[in-house]
Amino acid sequence: MSAAGATRRRAGLRASGAAILAASLMLLTACTPILSLLGGDESRGYELPERPTGGLEGFAAQQPVWASCGDGMECADVYAPLDWSDPAGETITLRLVKHPATGGDRIGTLFVNPGGPGASGADYVAENIDSVIPADVQRAYDVVGWDPRGVGESTQVRCLDAAGMDDYLFGLGEEAGLERGSDAWIDAAVEQSRTFGEACEQRTGDLIAHVSTADTVRDLDMLRAIAGDDRLHYLGFSYGTYIGARYADAYPDRVGRLVLDGAMDPTSTLPDVVREQTRGFELALRAYLADCLQRNDCPFRGSVDDAMSIIGGLLDRVDANPLTGSDGRTLAAGTMLTAIITPCTRRATGATSTSSSPPSTRATPTWRSRWPTSTMTASAAST
């Protein structure tokens, strides 16, 4: 088999395993945003508005108590119903970060979601406002990012303690020593995901049944109303495009200016999404290598396929013999692949993480270590 063929085979094995894991996790955890689960148990809350009364209208009429949270940003927490079919019942909170319009002729509010699912929209706006939003748009709009329900500094989905999450995401797992992509490897991984899903359900409680895309769309419409806009102005990336598309489908008469960058196909199946995402990761890596090979300081030589073969061989060696760090933690091939892929994709979206004092928890790794294709991106397509 050629080096390129071997690389494609490895990608195919990873994709097939991730598809099965995604389906299993989705069924057990109702599309829990995995990326939020690394957050600590302590949330830094802001003063809440008066608790809404009078049904759905009360939530839309909230007046956020905005507080300065550094770098020209304002932060606030607002209420949302735990269950949108029962607005008089239990409530959760959502974290907002706003960059106020810099011009004197404000048009409205631009809501931003970076995707994930499970990425912090609050952190994204706080850390990337200038690299993502042009100056003329900043002059015309308040730019607002929010942590979707279950994520970051909003009411969180919780599954394991910090040590347990670290081991789940970055440890070797029950499939250690098994051939990647084999039936035994997939069975072990699915069983571990099932156990994880049960832990999420037990620790999170009723929220676990209310973290779907449909719930997020209802939250977004509430935030639009709180901002005082008749129509939603929205910028979504990746899975964030799915939120925007679902919003337009649910509220076509409330759609203003929507920008959907890197759009997901709402009709895609789980295997479709995982397969295309895996291809996208490989394209990003190949694009990096093509650029690198034109530079004098590039550590690779030869063709892009030659460089891919070197990377594939490195991953195979680490898969067979994981590395042990000075702190005793083990580096497996999946974590190494995450380290390779993340800079390629983050650069494409203009995302950075340079703020020294963010208003909410730090963004977390984009892919699980053992299954680099995101399980939650896959599961989002059917919620």
Side-chain angles (χ1 to χ4, degrees), residues 86-285:
D86 182 20
E90 188 176 347
T91 59
I92 61 173
T93 62
L94 302 178
R95 168 62 51 83
L96 313 177
V97 170
K98 178 172 69 174
H99 181 270
T102 58
D105 192 14
R106 176 183 171 277
I107 294 175
T109 298
L110 176 67
F111 289 93
V112 179
N113 183 283
S120 168
D123 280 346
Y124 191 75
V125 166
E127 298 171 6
N128 301 291
I129 183 73
D130 290 329
S131 60
V132 175
I133 308 298
D136 56 343
V137 178
Q138 293 185 38
R139 286 193 292 270
Y141 291 91
D142 292 339
V143 180
V144 172
W146 83 103
D147 286 352
R149 56 176 56 213
V151 174
E153 295 298 310
S154 294
T155 302
Q156 293 181 355
V157 167
R158 304 185 187 279
C159 298
L160 303 171
D161 60 20
M165 280 305 305
D166 185 82
D167 182 64
Y168 178 72
L169 291 169
F170 304 113
L172 297 181
E174 298 298 324
E175 69 278 13
L178 301 174
E179 180 185 358
R180 184 179 292 273
S182 66
D183 288 345
W185 182 90
I186 291 173
D187 288 345
V190 168
E191 179 57 32
Q192 189 168 19
S193 285
R194 180 177 293 108
T195 301
F196 176 75
E198 290 171 353
C200 297
E201 186 175 24
Q202 291 171 6
R203 194 171 184 192
T204 301
D206 292 342
L207 174 63
I208 203 72
H210 302 285
V211 289
S212 69
T213 305
D215 289 302
T216 295
V217 166
R218 294 292 299 270
D219 292 343
L220 181 56
D221 190 56
M222 177 192 75
L223 296 177
R224 172 203 58 78
I226 289 173
D229 290 350
D230 294 330
R231 295 180 180 273
L232 175 72
H233 306 303
Y234 177 80
L235 169 61
F237 298 96
S238 187
Y239 163 75
T241 69
Y242 186 58
I243 296 174
R246 288 285 297 269
Y247 184 95
D249 185 59
Y251 307 107
D253 58 333
R254 302 176 191 173
V255 173
R257 293 166 173 161
L258 263 63
V259 178
L260 307 181
D261 189 330
M264 289 178 57
D265 180 355
T267 66
S268 294
T269 64
L270 291 175
D272 288 340
V273 173
V274 174
R275 181 176 59 251
E276 292 307 310
Q277 188 181 55
T278 302
R279 288 173 176 168
F281 292 162
E282 180 163 349
L283 285 173
L285 181 55

Side-chain angles (χ1 to χ4, degrees), residues 28-99:
L28 287 168
T29 65
C31 299
T32 304
I34 283 197
L35 301 185
S36 69
L37 304 180
L38 277 177
D41 287 343
E42 297 299 325
S43 176
R44 299 184 298 278
Y46 290 91
E47 182 182 352
L48 284 158
E50 293 185 12
R51 186 176 294 272
T53 59
L56 298 175
E57 295 78 9
F59 287 94
Q62 293 178 84
Q63 298 293 319
V65 183
W66 293 104
S68 174
C69 50
D71 297 328
M73 300 291 168
E74 298 178 0
C75 294
D77 291 335
V78 297
Y79 291 104
L82 171 68
D83 181 353
W84 275 102
S85 67
D86 182 20
E90 188 176 347
T91 59
I92 61 173
T93 62
L94 302 178
R95 168 62 51 83
L96 313 177
V97 170
K98 178 172 69 174
H99 181 270

